[in-house]
Amino acid sequence: MSVDTSTERTAGRPPVQRPPALRPPALRALAGRAPAPVAPAGATALVSGGVAAAALLALVGIGALLREPVLIPPIAASAAIVYGVPALPLAQPRSVVAGHLLCAAVGYLALVLLGGAPWVAALGAGVAVGAMTLARTPHSPAAATTVVVVLQSPDPRWFLPLLTGAAVVLVLAGTAAARARPGAVRYPVYWW
């Protein structure tokens, strides 16, 4: 029995009409066993991408005004989680904000104790993952914050407030977007 046929015969019943395949067979094979989106994929992708771009552009603007980099790669990765999979524990405000701050602290500790070598960054990121697990603040992009701190040695007096502000902007934008769209996935699922 083929799923690509337009009709299917069942014993003793009239043929059942099947909708035409929306994707060519090669693309269906690439999709694998990943679950189908719960909402129309195009609309969800457009809103998620739009909110992510707007929040990240706001961070770029804030950085330009302050003449300091506010948009760093771990924050962009956090945006992908907050706006792409908002119901996951990794996307919740506790994990986003506290995860980045905890990992920055681990990075500064590693930097002070062992220096700014790449192996220290790798070791620090591993320790940061463990610390987030213990603190119940899982947020994978935050481990990259540890690497940024160890390899770039930013001044904590400006880096920590900017990192906190950037994480809060992501959470607030995600909250506003979820409230503005009827039927959107609830965000946040919990605050703390």
Side-chain angles (χ1 to χ4, degrees):
M1 172 167 59
S2 173
V3 293
D4 290 333
T5 61
S6 59
T7 60
E8 181 180 295
R9 298 200 182 271
T10 55
R13 292 190 217 143
V16 177
Q17 294 293 324
R18 297 278 182 202
L22 298 177
R23 294 182 279 188
L27 291 179
R28 281 195 310 271
L30 288 175
R33 293 180 176 232
V38 293
T44 301
L46 184 63
V47 171
S48 297
V51 173
L56 296 174
L57 284 169
L59 294 177
V60 169
I62 292 167
L65 289 172
L66 298 174
R67 298 178 194 251
E68 294 289 346
V70 178
L71 177 61
I72 59 173
I75 291 294
S78 293
I81 290 175
V82 170
Y83 309 126
V85 285
L88 287 182
L90 281 78
Q92 303 315 304
R94 172 189 174 103
S95 293
V96 175
V97 177
H100 277 293
L101 289 175
L102 178 61
C103 290
V106 170
Y108 282 114
L109 182 63
L111 185 61
V112 167
L113 295 177
L114 302 170
W119 70 269
V120 176
L123 180 64
V127 169
V129 169
M132 285 188 293
T133 302
L134 288 174
R136 296 182 10 246
T137 57
H139 190 67
S140 48
T145 298
T146 304
V147 174
V148 168
V149 167
V150 171
L151 295 181
Q152 295 184 358
S153 308
D155 185 340
R157 293 175 296 181
W158 64 262
F159 183 76
L160 293 175
L162 292 177
L163 178 67
T164 304
V168 168
V169 165
L170 294 183
V171 168
L172 293 177
T175 303
R179 304 285 190 278
R181 274 185 52 224
V185 174
R186 182 175 174 245
Y187 181 82
V189 175
Y190 57 88
W191 285 92
W192 194 256

